[in-house]
Amino acid sequence: MEGITKLIEADLHKLELSIQGLLTTKIGFIKEIVNHIIKSGGKRVRPILIMLTARLCGYKDEQHIPYAAIIEFIHTATLLHDDVVDNAKTRRGSSTANIVWGNEPSVLVGDFLFSKSFELMTHSGNHEILKVMSEATTALAEGEILELLKTSDADTKEEEYFEIIRNKTAVLFSAACEIGGILGKAHMKKKISLKNFGYNLGMAFQLTDDILDYVSLDTILGKPIGTDLKEGKVTLPLIHALKSADEKENSYIKRVLEKTNMTRRDFERVRNIIRKYGGIDYTSTVTKQYVDSAKVFLNIFQPSPYKDALLGLANYMLKRET
Ligand code: FPP
Ligand code: MG
């Protein structure tokens, strides 16, 4: 990541100041919770996308900084809510807000951040950006609800899984890149290319997330592995394995998906079945296809250090460990 962000080091510093500056509220408790999660070492991928795409389109002004802060607020709001929904205990190596303060403050502070983001967006009066962000957040909620409806459903189809991750993750990546294009006053063809670049990148990001949940280590990932299976989330490595697994393996996986107290042994057995049928390799291949598609959408842009950084970010999706 360092190579990619070197180019926007100064902007990233301004981003952190902007995050604090825009977090205005008289209620200290809100800031305490927001800072707990926002200062815990997130990758700032969505802000970075706004910054690089805006500069790629020749944007010279400074408005990309508040938008970058806002997209991080929206992402943080969704994480606060998501950790309540998933009953998650650890994120980025620290206790989640729901563990430290409880579910109610987490949901309400998420609501605050979400509302604050839209309030801040009205300040600039850019209706096009407001539209992109509103549609993206609606999709986010739909993605999370679709995922909830598919909990523990071993019959989940690949297309249904792709629809979930498109909504819950890829749409916000896509929005970030489109916003960069809007700020840079790119023409329609370039804006659509950026939108598609972000979408493919976001799909690759979530696919990698779903691979890491089976193959990483808790200490590296900053959250426990095996969580998807434990929570009944049927992700691509598992969907692929379920297609080839025999009857005994299939019914075992179904039992584990429905269990509320999955053991480490259950996880390891299911992981072995996934490996046996190439579920991880298959998902890696699909991830690579999304990364390759993402890169093609940058062909329309002239060579530049920003383009190189975005290509680097696409490659990073394949190698990232956290
Ligand atoms: C993380 O997925 C969650 C998301 C990417 C989206 C969460 C969206 C919502 C909670 C709904 C919308 C909320 C608002 C405020 C608009 P994950 O659980 O697969 O990843 P994880 O392992 O990091 O938790
Ligand atoms: Mg989660």
Side-chain angles (χ1 to χ4, degrees):
M1 268 302 252
E2 289 89 60
I4 297 160
T5 53
K6 191 115 197 82
L7 205 56
I8 45 167
E9 219 163 36
D11 278 359
L12 281 170
H13 179 66
K14 286 182 203 159
L15 170 70
E16 298 310 309
L17 298 177
S18 177
I19 284 176
Q20 293 309 319
L22 294 176
L23 194 60
T24 49
T25 166
K26 286 187 198 124
I27 306 172
F29 182 60
I30 294 179
K31 287 192 194 171
E32 196 185 336
I33 296 187
V34 174
N35 279 327
H36 170 80
I37 177 159
I38 226 161
K39 285 187 177 169
S40 64
K43 296 178 282 296
R44 308 285 190 255
V45 178
R46 297 153 191 83
I48 289 171
L49 282 173
I50 292 188
M51 292 170 178
L52 290 175
T53 51
R55 296 300 193 210
L56 177 76
C57 297
Y59 184 66
K60 298 270 183 290
D61 222 332
E62 288 289 305
Q63 272 303 301
H64 62 314
I65 304 286
Y67 280 113
I70 290 167
I71 206 161
E72 194 65 11
F73 283 159
I74 290 177
H75 171 57
T76 306
T78 70
L79 293 184
L80 283 166
H81 285 185
D82 181 68
D83 284 339
V84 171
V85 174
D86 290 347
N87 193 18
K89 299 189 171 39
T90 329
R91 177 176 295 282
R92 299 170 181 168
S94 306
S95 294
T96 52
N98 42 303
I99 289 299
V100 181
W101 291 279
N103 285 346
E104 295 88 342
S106 298
V107 170
L108 296 174
V109 171
D111 288 341
F112 168 85
L113 270 181
F114 190 55
S115 311
K116 184 58 128 185
S117 301
F118 279 88
E119 181 198 321
L120 290 167
M121 276 190 281
T122 64
H123 293 176
S124 70
N126 189 322
H127 192 266
E128 195 181 355
I129 295 183
L130 198 54
K131 181 171 184 286
V132 168
M133 212 67 122
S134 317
E135 286 172 1
T137 50
T138 305
L140 265 170
E142 283 175 338
E144 196 80 349
I145 293 162
L146 271 178
E147 184 171 80
L148 187 69
L149 292 173
K150 287 285 155 191
T151 306
S152 302
D153 183 354
D155 297 324
T156 304
K157 305 275 169 292
E158 271 198 20
E159 301 70 51
E160 292 168 326
Y161 164 80
F162 287 126
E163 177 69 1
I164 290 170
I165 69 166
R166 181 178 78 80
N167 282 292
K168 80 169 191 178
T169 306
V171 170
L172 195 59
F173 276 63
S174 179
C177 297
E178 197 178 353
I179 290 168
I182 297 169
L183 287 171
K185 298 206 170 15
H187 63 65
M188 194 48 88
K189 236 176 136 183
K190 282 190 173 171
K191 273 195 286 197
I192 292 171
S193 295
L194 284 174
K195 194 174 161 174
N196 285 319
F197 168 77
Y199 157 73
N200 282 282
L201 201 72
M203 293 296 279
F205 183 89
Q206 189 60 47
L207 282 157
T208 302
D209 218 64
D210 295 344
I211 293 174
L212 290 174
D213 196 76
Y214 279 104
V215 305
S216 185
L217 296 171
D218 298 7
T219 44
I220 296 178
L221 205 54
K223 56 190 178 188
I225 65 162
T227 306
D228 288 343
L229 187 65
K230 184 167 173 240
E231 287 161 1
K233 279 187 193 159
V234 184
T235 59
L236 196 57
L238 190 64
I239 294 173
H240 185 76
L242 278 162
K243 278 189 204 158
S244 328
D246 63 29
E247 219 168 288
K248 217 171 124 213
E249 290 163 334
N250 245 287
S251 59
Y252 176 67
I253 292 173
K254 280 184 184 153
R255 268 206 315 282
V256 175
L257 277 172
E258 274 154 23
K259 255 185 168 180
T260 45
N261 54 344
M262 178 191 83
T263 63
R264 182 75 201 184
R265 210 178 119 70
D266 287 328
F267 171 65
E268 276 161 12
R269 283 180 67 184
V270 172
R271 183 164 66 176
N272 285 340
I273 299 172
I274 290 176
R275 286 227 169 95
K276 179 173 164 192
Y277 296 108
I280 302 295
D281 289 344
Y282 173 72
T283 309
S284 298
T285 306
V286 175
T287 310
K288 173 98 175 38
Q289 285 165 358
Y290 277 108
V291 168
D292 289 342
S293 303
K295 290 183 190 166
V296 171
F297 283 107
L298 293 182
N299 284 348
I300 188 171
F301 295 94
Q302 295 299 318
S304 80
Y306 298 106
K307 181 172 170 175
D308 289 343
L310 286 164
L311 291 169
L313 199 58
N315 289 330
Y316 164 75
M317 296 299 143
L318 298 170
K319 345 182 261 252
R320 77 181 181 95
E321 292 185 334
T322 64

